[in-house]
Amino acid sequence: MDSVFLIKSLIILGIFALSLGIAAYETYFERVIAAFIQDRVGPDRAGPFGLLQPLADAGKLFFKEDFIPTLADKWLFILGPSLAMLTALMTSAVIPFGDSILYDGHEILVQGIEVNIGILWVFGVVSLGVYGILIGGWASNNKYSLYGAIRAASQNISYELAMGLSIIAVLMMSGSLSLRTIVEEQHGMNWNVFYQPLGFIIFLTCSFAECNRTPFDLPESENELVAGYHTEYGSMKLGLFLFSEYVNMFISSAVIATLFFGGFNYPGMDWVYSALTSKMGEVTGHNLATLVGTLVFFGKIAFFIFVYMWVRWTLPRFRYDQLMDLGWKGLIPLAVVNMIITAAAELSNQPLLVNWIGLGVFIALLYAGSALMKSKKTSV
Amino acid sequence: MQLTNRSKKTDKTPLTLAEKSYLPGIAKGMGITLKHFFSKKATIRYPEQTRYLGPIFRGHHILKRDEEGRERCTACGLCAVACPAEAISMVAAEREKGEEHLYREEKYAAAYEVNMLRCIFCGLCEEACPKEAVYLRHDKFVPVFTSRDQVIYGKDQLVEDMDDRYERDAWTKEEMQKLWEQQKPVNY
């Protein structure tokens, strides 16, 4: 039992270290990708290819003056970034990063904790995440910070609704809240994205909004609100705010990969598994297959992180009313429609076919409706 | 009144359904950024890489010698007069017997100083010089200085080294024109 505990602790420590390490290198890749998209080369001075840049950035942030404004609420001011960082790191606990490790006759899951409310936990913690921003912005005692904080709060509330509705469709398909069950349901290229293209688009859009990334970066819109909620922050407190954004990006990429892209499943998985177990023996083969699955999962995460950055350097920021329009008048009705289509598809015996037919019918109806509206307008 | 026919009329037709969903526009935009992601980078990594600045770039001053290694400068002072920043000062001296291999003319500059804090690198000294003695190098910058006593450049820093003569790709206007025409257009 001792060694099982040790391995589990190692896995948890590994997940923790990985989410921090990946977040640190996201800052580097953000800059490199931004540069590449703008025909530049990006940071290349610190170490080979500038790979030590995150270290240099962190060192710089640590050595800057840790400033707290006189009229700020001191403890809340400190609590803000701490809460943001805490909630960002808590979510990775339930994400299944791989299948399982066989050791000493025990099966140890490559996951922080396997709980039957996995996705609910993610949601609960993510919606707590906005408190970090809200508290930080309010405690700064600065109009712009408060603006940013209020924007963050209203934006997160608006988009969490559509996000939750789009997930309900996924949950209807898997019949479980556990992320591991959802992943196992998608075994054999039964990825949810094929069943739920609309749900995927809604979820992706909402996760952009939840992470406060462009085109939804209104809370810190630097050319309107100085720097939004972190205007008064400096040193590592600012670092924690920015860092938590990157951790959130990593986690939401992981959640997208888990919910819609089959988690650690990949095509030809069973073949690899049988080949490895027959060659290397039951235990080693199983563990190696798990490793391959984990690597594939991280590949998917990396792809979605790239998509995040790609979108950031493509799309301009929404105006505030456009943001609200898209959330309330666009995504929530669409998510409801998606839910109805999925429900119908689940009742029929052909979920894939019915999902696509439903989507096609919905789009056709939309077109017919808009054509009708147009002809009415022109006749008047 | 219409001045050119380049102006485009604003399209005020209502958005179609596909346009309203933003998705085709987003896909198109992301295609453009992805194309740039893989395109050639315009960056020149400066201290390691430099780019050719052209034959007429105005950099470090040089006092040319002639083919026999004699200083061309005759300390006429025209450069100092032409200088809008009053950066040049000199002390003239008469050539002694036995110094013919050092100075081309009978009068020479015993001291020739350029104050690099004053110099604006306009190149008027080069234009004013009747003896083709003073030039601004196209291939060398004046290095960064950190204190004021490094600012005034004397003859030791200005006179041409015969082992490392300064050659320009084009000395005259006509040569320059030819060079220009050979240059390939560069897109930055």
Side-chain angles (χ1 to χ4, degrees):
Chain A
M1 199 56 210
D2 254 2
S3 53
V4 174
F5 180 72
L6 196 73
I7 288 179
K8 193 77 191 178
S9 321
L10 277 178
I11 289 173
I12 292 174
L13 197 72
I15 290 171
F16 183 67
L18 261 175
S19 37
L20 284 179
I22 286 180
Y25 273 89
E26 269 172 273
T27 61
Y28 165 75
F29 280 108
E30 171 102 278
R31 292 167 70 176
V32 169
I33 287 168
F36 268 55
I37 283 176
Q38 296 165 6
D39 291 346
R40 300 183 282 114
V41 291
D44 66 341
R45 296 286 137 171
F49 304 108
L51 279 172
L52 299 178
Q53 191 67 43
L55 237 79
D57 287 342
K60 177 208 135 195
L61 283 172
F62 267 117
F63 284 110
K64 285 184 85 168
E65 187 192 354
D66 202 0
F67 182 76
I68 296 176
T70 329
L71 290 176
D73 192 320
K74 191 184 169 196
W75 293 108
L76 287 186
F77 192 79
I78 296 169
L79 189 66
S82 325
L83 207 58
M85 199 62 205
L86 180 74
T87 50
L89 284 171
M90 265 159 76
T91 10
S92 58
V94 294
I95 289 164
F97 284 93
D99 194 6
S100 59
I101 292 173
L102 285 179
Y103 183 79
D104 212 7
H106 295 281
E107 196 182 16
I108 308 156
L109 301 177
V110 186
Q111 188 176 10
I113 34 165
E114 161 60 12
V115 281
N116 55 5
I117 53 152
I119 190 67
L120 210 57
W121 160 268
V122 172
F123 256 65
V125 173
V126 163
S127 45
L128 272 180
V130 74
Y131 278 95
I133 292 172
L134 197 55
I135 287 173
W138 185 79
S140 300
N141 196 17
N142 172 323
K143 286 171 199 162
Y144 292 112
S145 300
L146 190 59
Y147 260 131
I150 290 170
R151 280 184 177 194
S154 52
Q155 175 181 320
N156 278 33
I157 289 166
S158 309
Y159 279 78
E160 239 158 48
L161 293 173
M163 200 181 201
L165 286 175
S166 72
I167 283 185
I168 286 176
V170 173
L171 297 183
M172 282 200 287
M173 290 182 60
S174 63
S176 168
L177 284 166
S178 156
L179 283 170
R180 183 166 287 273
T181 318
I182 292 173
V183 170
E184 278 159 5
E185 285 280 321
Q186 300 177 57
H187 184 75
M189 284 312 279
N190 275 324
W191 293 3
N192 281 337
V193 68
F194 302 130
Y195 294 87
Q196 301 277 342
L198 183 61
F200 166 64
I201 291 171
I202 295 168
F203 188 83
L204 189 69
T205 316
C206 292
S207 56
F208 277 108
E210 292 287 303
C211 290
N212 300 329
R213 297 277 303 178
T214 332
F216 302 104
D217 62 341
L218 286 105
E220 54 172 281
S221 47
E222 63 274 358
N223 38 19
E224 300 165 35
L225 300 180
V226 192
Y229 61 89
H230 55 60
T231 306
E232 296 285 355
Y233 280 90
S235 181
M236 206 55 206
K237 289 208 203 72
L238 173 72
L240 284 181
F241 263 136
L242 301 181
F243 209 61
S244 70
E245 184 190 319
Y246 284 100
V247 177
N248 274 331
M249 219 162 97
F250 165 63
I251 300 299
S252 55
S253 301
V255 171
I256 292 169
T258 309
L259 289 180
F260 290 98
F261 283 80
F264 49 78
N265 290 309
Y266 54 95
M269 184 185 191
D270 294 321
W271 180 83
V272 170
Y273 184 81
S274 59
L276 279 173
T277 40
S278 62
K279 279 227 179 80
M280 318 282 267
E282 198 63 45
V283 175
T284 338
H286 178 88
N287 289 348
L288 274 178
T290 301
L291 183 70
V292 173
T294 308
L295 288 180
V296 168
F297 186 55
F298 274 101
K300 287 174 185 174
I301 293 175
F303 173 74
F304 281 106
I305 290 173
F306 176 72
V307 170
Y308 266 85
M309 293 169 181
W310 185 10
V311 167
R312 173 166 182 183
W313 299 105
T314 304
L315 298 180
R317 187 183 306 134
F318 276 107
R319 213 170 51 210
Y320 200 72
D321 62 319
Q322 289 173 334
L323 172 94
M324 285 295 152
D325 270 1
L326 182 69
W328 290 94
K329 296 188 200 160
L331 294 179
I332 291 176
L334 277 180
V336 171
V337 169
N338 185 48
M339 216 164 83
I340 293 167
I341 292 173
T342 314
E346 283 304 302
L347 286 178
S348 69
N349 285 329
Q350 292 280 337
L352 187 62
L353 196 68
V354 177
N355 258 320
W356 281 96
I357 290 174
L359 209 58
V361 168
F362 173 60
I363 290 171
L365 279 178
L366 264 185
Y367 261 103
S370 70
L372 210 67
M373 293 286 280
K374 219 189 213 168
S375 63
K376 255 186 193 167
K377 255 181 202 164
T378 44
S379 64
V380 169
Chain B
M1 190 184 70
Q2 198 179 15
L3 292 172
T4 63
N5 50 7
R6 279 177 300 181
S7 60
K8 274 185 190 165
K9 229 182 190 158
T10 320
D11 184 14
K12 285 193 174 168
T13 51
L15 297 180
T16 61
L17 196 65
E19 281 169 340
K20 260 188 212 158
S21 76
Y22 299 128
L23 291 176
I26 289 173
K28 201 175 149 198
M30 285 174 78
I32 291 170
T33 40
L34 195 68
K35 202 177 77 202
H36 279 274
F37 187 84
F38 292 110
S39 68
K40 195 171 166 287
K41 306 300 166 220
T43 305
I44 295 166
R45 290 177 165 84
Y46 168 59
E48 295 94 43
Q49 291 174 0
T50 46
R51 128 179 114 94
Y52 181 56
L53 296 166
I56 53 163
F57 180 79
R58 299 192 293 264
H60 198 289
H61 305 64
I62 189 167
L63 283 173
K64 286 285 286 179
R65 294 176 192 269
D66 66 3
E67 287 69 39
E68 294 157 44
R70 301 176 301 184
E71 281 176 29
R72 289 177 177 177
C73 180
T74 182
C76 61
L78 282 178
C79 50
V81 172
C83 184
E86 299 186 356
I88 303 174
S89 60
M90 66 188 73
V91 177
E94 204 173 330
R95 188 177 69 186
E96 304 283 324
K97 251 205 163 68
E99 284 181 343
E100 284 87 353
H101 65 289
L102 289 177
Y103 311 110
R104 192 171 68 177
E105 313 288 339
E106 285 165 356
K107 190 172 136 225
Y108 69 96
Y112 190 99
E113 285 176 346
V114 181
N115 188 334
M116 291 300 178
L117 266 184
R118 283 181 156 262
C119 179
I120 58 169
F121 300 94
C122 61
L124 287 184
C125 46
E126 187 180 310
E127 273 180 43
C129 186
K131 297 288 180 190
E132 296 184 332
V134 64
Y135 279 102
L136 295 177
R137 302 184 68 140
H138 75 289
D139 57 350
K140 190 179 169 191
F141 293 135
V142 174
V144 175
F145 30 75
T146 48
S147 91
R148 290 196 182 203
D149 44 345
Q150 300 166 1
V151 162
I152 294 168
Y153 279 52
K155 275 184 80 174
D156 49 334
Q157 282 144 298
L158 294 175
V159 177
E160 186 178 29
D161 180 8
M162 280 309 277
D163 300 327
D164 181 24
R165 295 204 70 179
Y166 170 58
E167 285 301 334
R168 212 179 246 191
D169 303 330
W171 290 102
T172 63
K173 203 179 167 186
E174 289 73 33
E175 286 173 6
M176 200 93 75
Q177 199 64 43
K178 263 186 215 157
L179 248 174
W180 236 181
E181 278 152 16
Q182 283 166 20
Q183 283 269 319
K184 279 175 204 148
V186 192
N187 291 321
Y188 285 112

